[in-house]
Amino acid sequence: MQFDDDADLDTSEVKDVRGSRVPGGRATIGGGIAGVIALILGLLFGVGPEQLGLSSGGDEPAVTASSASQVSQTCKKGADANAREDCRIVAVVNSVQDFWRAEYARRGRQYAPAATVMFTQRVNTACGTATSAVGPFYCPGDRRVYLDLGFFDELRTKFGSTGGPFAQAYVVAHEYGHHVQNLMGTLAKAQDGRTGANSDAVRVELQADCYAGVWARHATTTPDDKTGRPLLTRLTEEDIRDGLDAAAAVGDDRIQERFQGRVTPETWTHGSAAQRQQWFSTGYRTGDPARCNTFR
């Protein structure tokens, strides 16, 4: 996975609040092993914490400004993305949104961008207060993706993924899939409270996987708005394998087997490892968002 060294990164699409102190009381996002399992199964690669009733619904939904913000000073060029993890996230966000802008324009529509918020430990959102334990998520209330970079270490150490830069890119692209669903009105289908292998909650997650695959198919050909050249210049089959491995690692069946010792499909919220790989592959193979209809 390689970015154009000379490309300018747009850090306005990423808000870096790492090191901020979040005002307000202690978040009540579950506790003990039951809380951990609920968070893992319900929120990993999902949407905001309020959808499981696990957030405190804090008084201040706005993200607090941080004096420790880094990306606006350190992430200037594609070369920085090739050297630093946080800058790589900036570049992936830029690339994903370049694609969706172009795709919306091709269909005669205008894409509304979403910021990614990098945080540590805890953050206040329009969906309530969340901790790093929830994993990456998209909050439809403020149209932002939230990400603690420490999750990528856990993806390898706790969930058994091989990791790698494209595994990280897959996570980001999946969350922006939720943003596209929100813009299209699809995301609301996940909020009926139902679970299970055939639930709308699972179908929403699988569609976001498919959208991530669609971006991957076009990533090295989508021109950057400023340079006219693709920001992402190389994506190998090994990168795609890393993405597929990450998708499998966070399948409901894999997570349930690892953390509770048995598989219970009636409680699935995100789909099996095989389903997640299948739908990412569908998006990557076809490159067509219309082929991502998981609701058929």
Side-chain angles (χ1 to χ4, degrees), residues 16-78:
D16 187 352
V17 299
R18 291 174 292 173
S20 298
R21 293 179 61 86
V22 177
R26 179 172 58 88
T28 56
I29 321 181
I33 188 63
V36 171
I37 292 174
L39 288 168
I40 291 172
L41 298 184
L43 292 171
L44 186 62
F45 287 20
V47 290
E50 88 291 352
Q51 291 187 238
L52 287 185
L54 295 173
S55 117
S56 66
D59 295 332
E60 299 187 38
V63 174
T64 308
S66 170
S67 60
S69 296
Q70 299 177 44
V71 297
S72 60
Q73 285 79 40
T74 58
C75 301
K76 303 292 188 181
K77 293 287 187 178

Side-chain angles (χ1 to χ4, degrees), residues 57-108:
D59 295 332
E60 299 187 38
V63 174
T64 308
S66 170
S67 60
S69 296
Q70 299 177 44
V71 297
S72 60
Q73 285 79 40
T74 58
C75 301
K76 303 292 188 181
K77 293 287 187 178
D80 300 320
N82 290 324
R84 292 176 55 105
E85 181 182 56
D86 51 0
C87 299
R88 180 163 61 241
I89 299 304
V90 174
V92 171
V93 169
N94 291 170
S95 176
V96 170
Q97 299 210 101
D98 281 345
F99 166 72
W100 286 113
R101 283 189 193 94
E103 180 64 20
Y104 267 61
R106 189 175 69 84
R107 298 172 182 268

Side-chain angles (χ1 to χ4, degrees), residues 202-227:
V202 167
R203 295 177 191 275
V204 162
E205 296 299 330
L206 297 178
Q207 186 177 63
D209 283 335
C210 188
Y211 286 160
V214 170
W215 161 74
R217 167 54 61 188
H218 297 284
T220 58
T221 58
T222 299
D224 178 72
D225 290 342
K226 293 178 286 298
T227 67

Side-chain angles (χ1 to χ4, degrees), residues 7 60 80 83 154 159 284:
E60 299 187 38
D80 300 320
E154 295 186 348
F159 298 97
Y284 183 67

